[in-house]
Amino acid sequence: MPSIRLLPDTLISQIAAGEVVERPASVLKELLENSLDAGAVEIGVSLTQGGIKQLKVTDNGAGIDADDLFLAFARHATSKIASLDDLEQVRSLGFRGEALASIASVARVALTTRTARAAHAWSLIAEGGAQGAAQPAAHPAGTSVEVNDLYFNTPARRKFLRTEATEFGHCEDVYKRIALSRPDVAFSLKHNGRVISHLPAGDAARRIAAVAGEEFAGAARALDENSSGLRLSGFAGSPAFSRSSRDAQFVFVNGRFVRDKLFAHALRQAYQDLLHGDRHAAYVLFLELDPLGVDVNVHPAKTEVRFRDARAIHQFVFHAVSKAVSGSAAQTSAVAVQPVPAAGAMNFRRMQYQASLGVEQPVASYAAMFSMPPGPAGAMAGGGARTAFEPIAAAALKQAETDAPLGYAMAQLHGIYILAENKQGLVLVDMHAAHERILYEKLKGAIEVQGMSMQKLLIPVTFNAGRLEVATVEEHPGVLQRLGFDMAPLSPTALAVRAVPSMLAHADIAGLAHALLQEVREFGGSRVLTEHQHELLSTMACHGAVRAHRPLTVAEMNALLREMEVTERSGQCNHGRPTWYQMSLADLDKLFLRGR
Ligand SMILES: Nc1ncnc2c1ncn2[C@@H]1O[C@H](COP(=O)(O)OP(=O)(O)OP(=O)(O)O)[C@@H](O)[C@H]1O
Ligand SMILES: [Mg+2]
């Protein structure tokens, strides 16, 4: 084995850069944080080719003193902390004294800076770790940092960069996060010379509307809670404004964007009973606490934190957000359960939810109705161009269906529930949840057994898409094909869907495509189909399933009941909630105090 030796400084920086400078977006994050730490109130970002060719940030902050300039690119050189005490109560975004050194080790960097007192600006160039001498330059008070040709000297890393559109998409995400964190600072963003965003300084509500969309701002509930040194403020999206992915979840701890498991858990709990299982809440929340209570020195990119009193934070966040969003629970749940009289009243919690059905006998007769062989595999063969539920000659079959485990459908309640009569009494079915499970099982069967049967759309569905969505289509054609989709970019911001899985031909195709692309992108990688197939199919099922408030005919409702009877695990939706309840005649009698 070769002998142990000290590594050269540049190589040390390049190794560190592997952690800090993952892609152009990470460079942008570091530069923006430096500008905010310098007290800038106006920050301009300009990118060329997704930030790979050039990435420039200009601020009007404090600037760097000429005497300190030679240290700006030095490793472990920072103006932000000086002692362990400082480290334990960091108030600035940066503190490691590593970002500029790391960036300069893998790119050509030019830094121009001027303090308010200086007669003129100074400029300094650093390239692959080698630094030039400072030169006088022209620049207003503040700092500009220009990063050119990222990874010019580490081609192996450069190969890991994705398309320009993907890298720009990630930069845009960083820009949005930082802009959300500081509404009092004006930001602007240019890409390839084109102005993409301009955000004047203002209050939090205006900034959130500009970044997260008016729709979110309109539906979100403002909150501002204080308790024993903790403050949680911001906006929690109403359950009605839920999303198919986690892309609208922003949490800032002392002004720093973080992805925190504890926080995420508290929020999931706060929204638990208000959202459909596969929907995600939208929120922009700011937690402020004594810096001593949180360790920010956990992760090289500083996106994780550790709370000293995790349990207290969890409780506080959960309660603050529950309080803010619970007001909307009644509005969003269309069916309010009426309180029943106490004496002899039927206890709704006691109602038996039936996990298994005696399906053997009816399977054959209903399978015949759908003209397909019995069993879940057969049930899916009917994909083709069928409507959501095949109508059947309802009246003639009423008697047979009342004998069926889930009975005969009589009515639809508030566009959400199906009421059916069976031998035991009354059956209540959550039609969306039930249909979702049926589709999910069929999709699973299809992809595992004979491959997804695709249906070409007569007229391709076209829609506006984010850059990252377009990039996802370009990067994962095989995955989408296996899932039964034929999608192609029309332009850098538009997609066309030409074919979809036959079973989902009636879904809202654009909504389905958005949700799926976001998931494929989130899960990423070549193993997305082996490791996340079930999540993807579940998302597809949710989008393909009949929506609440869609009126169903009696025949359609009966067809759904029959499909439930032949579908495995149809007693629970994909997220574990029950899909149907049985109320026996005895339960009903009790409710009306009959026979006492
Ligand atoms: N835009 C800027 N305006 C003023 N000073 C800056 C700016 N950017 C960097 N500096 C100075 O250069 C120093 C080094 O910056 P660098 O980002 O490498 O480290 P840091 O911000 O201190 O810590 P971290 O590595 O955690 O980001 C900073 O401490 C700061 O004094
Ligand atoms: Mg920094």
Side-chain angles (χ1 to χ4, degrees):
M1 203 160 76
S3 54
I4 303 178
R5 64 190 134 215
L6 282 170
L7 295 175
D9 243 19
T10 306
L11 186 54
I12 295 173
S13 291
Q14 285 172 336
I15 291 170
E19 293 183 318
V20 184
V21 190
E22 200 191 331
R23 55 182 357 143
S26 18
V27 175
L28 179 61
K29 171 182 175 288
E30 295 298 335
L31 298 184
L32 287 173
E33 290 189 347
N34 281 347
S35 295
L36 290 176
D37 280 345
V41 292
E42 217 178 298
I43 301 177
V45 179
S46 166
L47 307 173
T48 309
Q49 294 177 16
I52 303 168
K53 182 87 197 104
Q54 189 185 70
L55 194 155
K56 184 172 177 182
V57 173
T58 299
D59 69 50
N60 65 350
I64 304 173
D65 225 69
D67 298 339
D68 289 350
L69 200 53
F70 74 102
L71 281 176
F73 290 108
R75 295 189 68 227
H76 312 303
T78 178
S79 58
K80 300 173 190 177
I81 61 169
S83 65
L84 179 62
D85 255 13
D86 291 346
L87 177 62
E88 287 179 347
Q89 43 185 319
V90 173
R91 285 169 205 277
S92 50
L93 296 166
F95 54 84
R96 297 159 57 107
E98 205 153 39
L100 287 183
S102 298
I103 296 167
S105 72
V106 291
R108 304 182 222 269
V109 185
L111 183 150
T112 309
T113 188
R114 179 177 172 183
T115 60
R117 295 184 311 279
H120 60 82
W122 288 95
S123 184
L124 192 62
I125 289 178
E127 202 172 302
Q131 183 176 319
Q135 305 282 343
H139 194 281
T143 304
S144 289
V145 181
E146 203 179 287
V147 177
N148 292 293
D149 306 320
L150 186 59
Y151 297 138
F152 78 98
N153 56 350
T154 47
R157 291 207 63 109
R158 201 178 168 104
K159 283 207 195 93
F160 281 97
L161 293 179
R162 298 296 189 150
T163 59
E164 177 179 329
T166 299
E167 297 305 338
F168 177 67
H170 286 286
C171 287
E172 210 178 7
D173 282 352
V174 163
Y175 172 83
K176 285 182 181 175
R177 278 176 216 146
I178 300 254
L180 276 176
S181 78
R182 290 293 300 275
D184 57 319
V185 174
F187 290 89
S188 64
L189 172 65
K190 274 197 212 167
H191 187 217
N192 294 336
R194 215 161 58 85
V195 177
I196 305 286
S197 151
H198 178 72
L199 301 166
D203 60 12
R206 272 190 33 210
R207 177 60 54 88
I208 288 170
V211 175
E214 299 281 349
E215 205 189 340
F216 168 73
R221 279 131 219 284
L223 67 125
D224 194 347
E225 293 283 323
N226 281 282
S227 164
S228 37
L230 302 175
R231 175 175 180 208
L232 188 73
S233 61
F235 292 82
S238 82
F241 187 83
S242 62
R243 319 263 303 172
S244 58
S245 75
R246 297 176 195 87
D247 68 338
Q249 302 185 337
F250 299 92
V251 170
F252 301 88
V253 174
N254 288 345
R256 187 189 302 282
F257 174 83
V258 297
R259 298 176 200 284
D260 184 64
K261 288 203 178 73
L262 176 93
F263 230 103
H265 185 263
L267 282 154
R268 260 202 314 280
Q269 277 201 342
Y271 278 97
Q272 194 164 40
D273 292 330
L274 305 172
L275 289 181
H276 272 292
D278 75 324
R279 303 295 292 172
H280 300 282
Y283 44 75
V284 180
L285 295 170
F286 303 92
L287 178 72
E288 282 153 63
L289 73 165
D290 184 335
L292 272 174
V294 51
D295 185 358
V296 291
N297 187 21
V298 179
H299 187 262
K302 308 179 203 120
T303 46
E304 285 169 27
V305 292
R306 209 176 282 133
F307 295 107
R308 304 227 194 279
D309 191 351
R311 187 205 281 267
I313 304 274
H314 187 280
Q315 289 273 321
F316 173 66
V317 170
F318 168 71
H319 285 295
V321 176
S322 299
K323 197 170 120 189
V325 297
S326 61
S328 60
Q331 296 154 22
T332 47
S333 80
V335 184
V337 176
Q338 292 299 318
V340 286
M346 185 191 65
N347 183 346
F348 271 79
R349 253 165 279 133
R350 260 193 29 235
M351 284 191 325
Q352 283 306 297
Y353 135 65
Q354 310 290 306
S356 66
L357 295 163
V359 296
E360 299 78 6
Q361 171 264 325
V363 167
S365 51
Y366 299 118
M369 267 183 239
F370 287 110
S371 59
M372 59 179 79
M380 125 223 128
R386 270 178 52 209
T387 54
F389 309 114
E390 200 105 307
I392 48 176
L397 292 162
K398 176 166 180 178
Q399 187 49 50
E401 300 201 74
T402 312
D403 289 343
L406 289 177
Y408 174 76
M410 298 177 300
Q412 193 183 13
L413 187 68
H414 286 267
I416 293 176
Y417 297 100
I418 295 171
L419 303 186
E421 175 187 333
N422 68 355
K423 276 210 165 132
Q424 294 73 42
L426 174 70
V427 173
L428 280 167
V429 175
D430 177 335
M431 66 181 203
H432 171 80
H435 191 210
E436 189 177 348
R437 166 61 76 180
I438 292 170
L439 278 180
Y440 178 57
E441 294 295 329
K442 284 183 182 180
L443 288 167
K444 269 199 319 200
I447 203 163
E448 275 157 23
V449 183
Q450 82 270 43
M452 201 70 83
S453 112
M454 283 163 81
Q455 182 169 328
K456 256 195 138 49
L457 301 173
L458 272 179
I459 304 168
V461 173
T462 60
F463 54 91
N464 288 333
R467 289 182 183 78
L468 285 178
E469 290 177 313
V470 175
T472 306
V473 170
E474 284 168 342
E475 283 163 22
H476 298 281
V479 170
L480 295 170
Q481 178 82 20
R482 270 220 71 202
L483 290 171
F485 290 84
D486 177 359
M487 278 192 224
L490 282 183
S491 78
T493 55
L495 286 172
V497 180
R498 299 204 197 97
V500 296
S502 315
M503 276 174 253
L504 305 179
H506 299 274
D508 155 22
I509 307 268
L512 171 61
H514 282 304
L516 193 67
L517 290 174
Q518 243 148 25
E519 264 189 6
V520 170
R521 179 187 127 207
E522 246 173 56
F523 298 140
S526 54
R527 294 213 297 268
V528 57
L529 262 186
T530 43
E531 285 169 10
H532 297 284
Q533 178 167 310
H534 287 185
E535 284 107 313
L536 293 169
L537 295 181
S538 170
T539 299
M540 286 161 61
C542 182
H543 279 264
V546 59
R547 291 279 139 193
H549 308 302
R550 159 139 176 266
L552 295 186
T553 62
V554 167
E556 285 179 316
M557 291 190 279
N558 275 315
L560 177 64
L561 296 179
R562 301 297 78 81
E563 292 221 46
M564 287 174 70
E565 286 160 357
V566 296
T567 299
E568 278 183 69
R569 296 177 282 271
S570 68
Q572 281 162 309
C573 80
N574 302 348
H575 320 293
R577 286 182 297 115
T579 55
W580 64 283
Y581 274 105
Q582 170 82 59
M583 290 165 84
S584 68
L585 277 176
D587 287 333
L588 292 169
D589 288 346
K590 253 190 251 161
L591 185 61
F592 293 98
L593 310 179
R594 277 176 72 106
R596 292 194 170 205

